[in-house]
Amino acid sequence: MDTPPRSSRILAVVARLLQAFLRRYARGEAGAAAPFLVGARLLDLGAGEGYVAVALRDQAGLWVCSVDVGPFRKADGPYVVYDGARLPFCAGPFDTTLILLTLHHCARPEAVLDEALRVTRRRLIVMESVYRTGLERFWLELLDGRLNRYRHDGRMDAPLAFRRPEEWGRMFESRGLRVVETRWLGSWWERLVHHPLLFVLDKEWTSDFLGERHGSRRHLGTTGWRVKPQCAR
Ligand SMILES: C[S@@+](CC[C@H](N)C(=O)[O-])C[C@H]1O[C@@H](n2cnc3c(N)ncnc32)[C@H](O)[C@@H]1O
């Protein structure tokens, strides 16, 4: 049997290490998002390999439908591929939609956000790699491009739209979203070069529905519904 060339063996090792890193990172993302999830019907938009859904299932017994623009799944669970423009769901089947490290990879992030809003009843949880200085932007462009080019068998879209925290904030506010919480994530060593920021966003009517404006906020929990949504129609 022929031995594969050395360069292929090195690439295979890099790919395995990257997948181990991504699984571990996804567990951190799931842990950061978990306290803010509402409802039992969850969507992970721009799910990549689908590791966040697995982490949420293992950590909290949650059911998550993953969606991405290609068949990039490396974990089990429901996974839907769409065209990047129109999600194959009716309006509002999901209680919470996660959009983690994804908007800056989208050709039209505003349109992706609008689709997320259409299919979500209550809450969006967005995590974005942001920059505040030229140096932070330099590291983002260098590392995001380098790391992600090994994902999806080399088919991962290049990062397109890094923004400052306030630029994302304006985009969310222009859609009538209410920022419930923002939180810096990442260990101290990650924060040397990468600055992930978590936005917890409610559709305005949701806050009224939850009674927040009247000082009696109810967290509806994560196990209120037993019925799983239809993942794709
Ligand atoms: C950096 S990865 C993030 C993957 C995963 N959310 C995570 O946190 O590990 C960005 C993902 O966005 C996806 N993406 C690019 N354009 C998209 C679009 N229009 N709609 C949804 N996902 C998109 C890419 O295919 C990729 O899987």
Side-chain angles (χ1 to χ4, degrees), residues 73-85:
R73 173 222 296 254
K74 290 203 186 294
D76 55 1
Y79 195 106
V80 173
V81 175
Y82 87 120
D83 61 7

Side-chain angles (χ1 to χ4, degrees), residues 63-119:
W63 183 90
V64 185
C65 180
S66 300
V67 180
D68 209 304
V69 293
F72 309 134
R73 173 222 296 254
K74 290 203 186 294
D76 55 1
Y79 195 106
V80 173
V81 175
Y82 87 120
D83 61 7
R86 175 89 181 168
L87 287 166
F89 307 112
C90 56
F94 299 100
D95 299 305
T96 300
T97 291
L98 303 162
I99 316 178
L100 307 178
L101 301 177
T102 288
L103 286 176
H104 66 272
H105 284 272
C106 297
R108 297 176 56 225
E110 282 82 0
V112 173
L113 182 67
D114 289 342
E115 269 299 274
L117 276 170
R118 185 181 65 76
V119 302

Side-chain angles (χ1 to χ4, degrees), residues 139-187:
W139 281 117
L140 261 187
E141 281 172 358
L142 186 77
L143 295 176
D144 197 306
R146 291 267 159 97
L147 185 77
N148 284 319
R149 77 175 171 206
Y150 293 102
R151 288 173 86 167
H152 306 350
D153 299 323
R155 284 176 292 152
M156 173 112 167
D157 294 329
L160 292 165
F162 290 121
R163 297 187 189 182
R164 296 173 180 275
E166 59 274 19
E167 292 175 308
W168 291 116
R170 279 198 292 276
M171 180 170 148
F172 302 141
E173 278 162 17
S174 73
R175 264 77 188 161
L177 284 163
R178 196 170 62 85
V179 182
V180 176
E181 172 92 26
T182 54
R183 186 172 284 189
W184 291 106
L185 304 176
S187 57

